[in-house]
Amino acid sequence: MAPSQDVVEMILEDHRTMEDLLRLMRSVEADRQAALHAFADLMIAHGEAEETTVYPLLSQYDEPDAVDHVESDHQEAAKILLALLKVPEIGSVEWDWRLKQLTAVTSRHIDEEERTLINKVRASLTPQCREELTAGFAGARGELLRERCGRVGNVHRMVHSGAPA
């Protein structure tokens, strides 16, 4: 079954969801643990799906520096996420500090990606290419979400080996 959304819409929706989950993680009234795990799964699945489907294609459109930069942002965010997942007490000083770091790197990444690469997809790719890209992104992202790719062990392996979760 083909996804009902375009790859750009899917990426933007993931970005808004990640921002919402970060807000929940800051709220003492929310289930911060659940928000953290949902964020971890989505962040890893989203990033890995982009790196395996979207970025290789965009590199062909003279964007290798931009692609390299957002890929390094993914790696930085994964390292901070891993540190946050390992914090023993939600709401502690360490939790707040790690969450602040994660929020900053995530916000910067979202801003840069939406101003550069997302617009490159919009401007450069044919509808047929975008349809194929959507199917690839949705498939990769969906599989990773089903695997609960944001678990500590998976994020640890990804961070320390440089390999996908």
Side-chain angles (χ1 to χ4, degrees):
M1 182 172 109
S4 61
Q5 291 180 303
D6 177 77
V7 66
V8 169
E9 294 168 346
M10 292 178 72
I11 290 170
L12 294 174
E13 184 176 296
D14 280 355
H15 288 173
R16 300 300 78 81
T17 301
M18 284 187 267
E19 290 167 337
D20 290 343
L21 290 166
L22 286 166
R23 273 190 288 282
L24 287 173
M25 285 189 275
R26 291 189 297 265
S27 173
V28 296
E29 295 176 343
D31 183 345
R32 297 164 98 180
Q33 186 77 31
L36 172 60
H37 291 298
F39 179 89
D41 287 338
L42 181 57
M43 188 196 98
I44 298 300
H46 173 92
E48 293 301 313
E50 284 180 331
E51 288 183 21
T52 60
T53 62
V54 178
Y55 296 166
L57 182 63
L58 291 179
S59 291
Q60 298 173 15
Y61 288 91
D62 299 322
E63 291 293 327
D65 290 339
V67 169
D68 288 345
H69 184 72
V70 293
E71 285 179 335
S72 70
D73 280 351
H74 282 179
Q75 189 66 13
E76 180 184 0
K79 287 177 184 176
I80 296 167
L81 175 63
L82 178 61
L84 183 61
L85 287 166
K86 291 181 172 183
V87 173
E89 184 181 341
I90 292 175
S92 66
V93 171
E94 183 182 7
W95 164 272
D96 288 340
W97 180 63
R98 298 287 186 193
L99 182 55
K100 183 178 180 178
Q101 290 179 308
L102 184 61
T103 300
V105 74
T106 301
S107 296
R108 184 183 70 233
H109 169 76
I110 287 171
D111 176 64
E112 290 176 7
E113 188 173 85
E114 289 181 6
R115 283 184 298 104
T116 59
L117 298 179
I118 295 296
N119 285 329
K120 184 59 86 171
V121 169
R122 288 175 171 143
S124 303
L125 303 182
T126 66
Q128 180 181 354
C129 185
R130 279 176 71 163
E131 187 176 309
E132 291 170 10
L133 192 57
T134 299
F137 177 81
R141 179 185 170 280
E143 180 63 30
L144 288 162
L145 285 172
R146 281 188 293 280
E147 294 172 2
R148 305 268 335 245
C149 60
R151 291 178 304 201
V152 174
N154 288 340
V155 178
H156 184 271
R157 276 190 296 281
M158 187 182 98
V159 166
H160 292 288
S161 71

